[in-house]
Amino acid sequence: MKRLFGLCSVLLAFASQPSFALSPAGESSLRQIQTGWAEINYQLPPAQREAAFARLASEAESAVVGEPQAAELHIWHGIVLSTWAGAKGGLGALSLVKQAKAELEKAIELDPQALDGSAYTSLASLYYQVPGWPIAFGDEDKAEALFKQALALNPNGIDPNYFDGDFLLRQKRYGEARAALEKAIAAPARPGREVADAGRRDEARALLAKVKEKLE
């Protein structure tokens, strides 16, 4: 079970600017959550991440309570819950993953284009990484459909291409996986997201090396 949640720990570091629906305070909260996520995910030792993500999830929840109509904050609450679940692992992570799913679905309901469709990528990542019924809601067909929606909104983004590449690798669709991961590595830099970009590109390069081994 811990393995099934392992890649949830690298969810997600989206790049887009917040929409104009966010207040200045909401924008500040969003940036703090994004920065905190990247620092925890890529700079803290693994043993310290679960507690750090728990604290960040509390901050993200408070931000959502302050601006419940802001899809961007729901997205990032979902992302933090997901990565907390990945750090926690095991059956104890299931409730967190289900909460993350609800947050991402709420974000899509409010504004499906928020953060360049990041909610679709996050939700797709959950669908292909968590167990299926009766344990959880995992569904590879739903994951693929959601990735198509995410890439329609953000075709050159580092995160949708990275996670789609990982999904395709698991599907043994190696040629498609290589193309997606190469796009992730070549994705435009995101101002203010340097830590997240560097970490994600390293992950994409590692996956691409595995794909190339399969293609040899």
Side-chain angles (χ1 to χ4, degrees):
M1 182 65 65
K2 189 174 182 63
R3 180 182 64 81
L4 290 168
F5 284 104
L7 282 180
C8 288
S9 66
V10 295
L11 284 169
L12 291 168
F14 296 107
S16 324
Q17 298 296 317
S19 75
F20 293 108
L22 278 173
S23 70
E27 289 189 21
S28 178
S29 294
L30 179 63
R31 295 301 181 209
Q32 289 175 10
I33 294 164
Q34 290 175 319
T35 299
W37 181 92
E39 291 173 349
I40 295 167
N41 201 56
Y42 292 117
Q43 296 180 342
L44 271 190
Q48 297 178 23
R49 290 177 193 165
E50 181 181 351
F53 279 128
R55 291 190 293 270
L56 189 62
S58 179
E59 294 176 20
E61 182 177 13
S62 295
V64 167
V65 170
E67 295 192 40
Q69 298 304 307
E72 299 88 345
L73 296 176
H74 284 282
I75 289 170
W76 269 91
H77 189 206
I79 289 169
V80 175
L81 288 168
S82 298
T83 45
W84 180 12
K88 187 178 183 67
L91 289 173
L94 283 175
S95 63
L96 296 175
V97 170
K98 291 175 181 178
Q99 291 175 53
K101 177 176 179 285
E103 284 292 88
L104 296 167
E105 289 172 340
K106 180 62 176 180
I108 291 170
E109 177 187 326
L110 289 167
D111 182 1
Q113 297 188 44
L115 301 179
D116 288 338
S118 294
Y120 288 117
T121 301
S122 298
L123 195 55
S125 299
L126 290 180
Y127 269 112
Y128 84 83
Q129 292 183 84
V130 304
W133 189 89
I135 297 172
F137 55 85
D139 187 316
E140 292 177 353
D141 291 336
K142 287 185 178 179
E144 184 160 14
L146 288 162
F147 276 129
K148 288 179 179 178
Q149 291 175 284
L151 288 163
L153 290 167
N154 190 14
N156 298 313
I158 189 169
D159 286 315
N161 280 291
Y162 168 77
F163 282 101
D164 189 41
D166 180 58
F167 171 71
L168 293 166
L169 172 58
R170 294 182 184 215
Q171 296 285 305
K172 300 182 180 180
R173 293 156 61 178
Y174 302 124
E176 294 171 83
R178 178 173 63 184
L181 292 166
E182 287 174 345
K183 287 187 75 173
I185 292 166
R190 305 180 290 186
R193 309 304 312 286
E194 290 80 9
V195 173
D197 280 354
R200 185 66 78 220
R201 284 197 175 88
D202 285 346
E203 291 167 344
R205 290 186 187 103
L207 281 187
L208 183 59
K210 293 181 180 180
V211 170
K212 288 180 176 178
E213 287 179 3
K214 298 293 185 180
L215 289 169
E216 288 177 355

